[in-house]
Amino acid sequence: MTLRDKFGRPMRSLRISVTDRCNLRCQYCMPEPEYVWLPRENILSFEEIAALTDAFTAEGVGRIRITGGEPLLRRELPALVASLASRPAIQDLALTTNGVLLKSRAAALREAGLHRITVSLDTLRRDRFRALTGSSDFDAVITGIHAAAEAGFPALKLDTVIMRGTNEDELIELLAFARTVNAEVRFIEYMDVGGATRWSPAAVVPRAEMLEAIGRHYGGVIPTEERSSAPAERFLLPDGTTFGIIASTTAPFCATCDRARLTADGVWLLCLYAAGGTDLRRPLRAGASQDELRQLIHAVWSLRADRGAEERLGMDRQTTLVPLRALKKDAHLEMHTRGG
Ligand code: SAM
């Protein structure tokens, strides 16, 4: 029988953060000058990640996304991909990356069996990229996206966080760029997640406003009928272009959320907004069997009642949900630790 939580939601997907480190400092995620990192000895090895993944897939997970931090900072990542890709229980194996190191890794990741890649790309302007990420690696990201397209990934996606006063004037250019690399853009509403210490409601560009701007340019936007647990709502333009919007801030999708999240040090979170999680590293390193891990996962998911984004929406606060002092005390509250 399918494992379900308190609201009847199955556990179908697992996002695995393989590192809390990142080579960019995006304003919406890591805008602070200094960070507290997870202790190195706590970071899971690939064998440990695979062992925990097996326990999750035995309880119903069939979709895996590798994330971070920046996952390509784990240099041997294709080895993890190959190990996960060889598991029949995993029907979908995807990766989210900022693309900086993608040029030299795209082909190896594809050969290792990775199914899909999503690259974060928030602007097409070099100067903005520098201001937004603190890095001058814009060209590397664009080359990385081309390398992913050439490596033959069937469903290349570009994730763009839209922030007012930063990049909301690039919707049309980003759609046009995506077409040239055969990718689909997903515009993401700026979320008040841990780490977004500069978040404010005024900086959120709501889905309705994005659709209005795109529709005005293209002469219409048609919602596609597709219904699934995927957070992006998809739309079709008159010229055949498709794109998605993830309205996590103004229209949360907690009711269909089937995601488990594993941090790089093996803490399992039931929600992006959860204040804490279940430490799976400890039992794993203490020698817990697959059956014991499964039982733990089963028991915890059965009691899940999280609906963090909906609760956040209901709060209507003007300040950030997780204050900086809390982030300094507990790195697990940071988005770059939880995995986006
Ligand atoms: N380093 C990889 C990357 O840049 O794609 C993976 C990790 S990053 C945390 C994953 C995603 O988190 C980014 O694409 C970004 O869309 C999302 N993200 C981080 N902070 C966000 C925020 N405050 N609002 C919306 N999305 C955010």
Side-chain angles (χ1 to χ4, degrees):
M1 218 172 68
T2 309
L3 169 62
R4 292 187 185 269
D5 71 6
K6 286 269 189 209
F7 297 142
R9 298 170 297 187
M11 181 177 66
R12 293 218 177 92
S13 66
L14 173 67
R15 297 171 86 90
I16 303 173
S17 171
V18 293
T19 178
D20 58 331
R21 307 274 171 154
C22 193
N23 43 2
L24 296 184
R25 289 290 177 271
C26 297
Q27 284 295 312
Y28 52 75
C29 190
M30 300 184 77
E32 299 303 318
E34 280 177 27
Y35 285 94
V36 180
W37 305 110
L38 298 175
R40 285 207 176 259
E41 66 275 18
N42 290 355
I43 302 297
L44 300 182
S45 68
F46 290 165
E47 291 71 25
E48 289 173 325
I49 291 173
L52 289 180
T53 303
D54 285 341
F56 278 101
T57 55
E59 286 299 322
V61 164
R63 293 199 308 268
I64 303 278
R65 179 170 291 275
I66 299 170
T67 180
E70 173 46 41
L72 298 188
L73 290 176
R74 292 279 299 251
R75 251 180 288 152
E76 305 304 324
L77 197 69
L80 175 66
V81 168
S83 161
L84 297 179
S86 71
R87 291 165 150 78
I90 300 174
Q91 302 121 31
D92 182 35
L93 182 58
L95 169 85
T96 301
T97 171
N98 61 32
V100 171
L101 300 170
L102 193 52
K103 182 182 176 223
S104 59
R105 314 278 164 81
L109 289 166
R110 183 75 180 130
E111 271 161 36
L114 186 67
H115 302 156
R116 300 189 293 125
I117 283 199
T118 300
V119 184
S120 298
L121 179 72
D122 301 312
T123 179
L124 290 167
R125 304 190 192 167
R126 222 171 254 110
D127 55 334
R128 270 193 192 171
F129 183 88
R130 193 173 298 116
L132 189 60
T133 66
S135 153
S136 51
D137 281 326
F138 174 75
D139 292 326
V141 174
I142 299 298
T143 319
I145 291 170
H146 282 284
E150 277 154 30
F153 285 101
L156 185 59
K157 292 206 175 94
L158 303 179
D159 272 7
T160 305
V161 179
I162 295 292
M163 297 162 77
R164 194 179 304 286
T166 301
N167 61 349
E168 84 269 38
D169 55 350
E170 287 192 63
L171 295 165
I172 307 303
E173 286 161 66
L174 284 156
L175 285 168
F177 171 75
R179 246 194 332 266
T180 66
V181 287
N182 212 8
E184 182 171 296
V185 190
R186 299 187 313 177
F187 297 114
I188 304 172
E189 288 179 349
Y190 187 14
M191 288 187 277
D192 178 18
V193 286
T197 51
R198 315 258 158 98
W199 186 89
S200 83
V204 177
V205 179
R207 169 183 57 183
E209 196 178 321
M210 295 189 219
L211 286 176
E212 214 269 319
I214 296 168
R216 207 179 324 123
H217 179 88
Y218 279 93
V221 172
I222 306 148
T224 67
E225 288 302 308
E226 180 191 310
R227 279 275 162 269
S228 74
S229 63
E233 290 167 85
R234 293 180 72 234
F235 301 90
L236 178 67
L237 294 170
D239 69 357
T241 305
T242 54
F243 68 97
I245 293 191
I246 303 184
S248 348
T249 298
T250 64
F253 36 87
C254 302
T256 55
C257 179
D258 60 8
R259 291 179 175 184
R261 296 172 182 271
L262 190 64
T263 65
D265 63 344
V267 173
W268 172 31
L269 301 164
L270 298 176
C271 174
L272 190 52
Y273 291 83
T278 306
D279 183 357
L280 296 179
R281 184 187 74 250
R282 227 172 272 275
L284 179 72
R285 289 194 177 167
S289 66
Q290 277 292 316
D291 260 1
E292 286 164 335
L293 290 169
R294 273 186 70 170
Q295 279 165 26
L296 177 59
I297 290 168
H298 193 100
V300 172
W301 188 268
S302 310
L303 295 174
R304 177 185 189 242
D306 298 64
R307 37 186 289 279
E310 286 177 356
E311 283 169 359
R312 174 65 193 88
L313 184 63
M315 280 175 200
D316 198 27
R317 284 194 210 182
Q318 295 300 303
T319 52
T320 53
L321 182 65
V322 187
L324 188 55
R325 62 178 181 285
L327 294 170
K328 295 268 178 230
K329 276 197 211 132
D330 184 359
H332 289 98
L333 295 170
E334 297 273 8
M335 180 71 153
H336 65 265
T337 306
R338 320 199 129 200

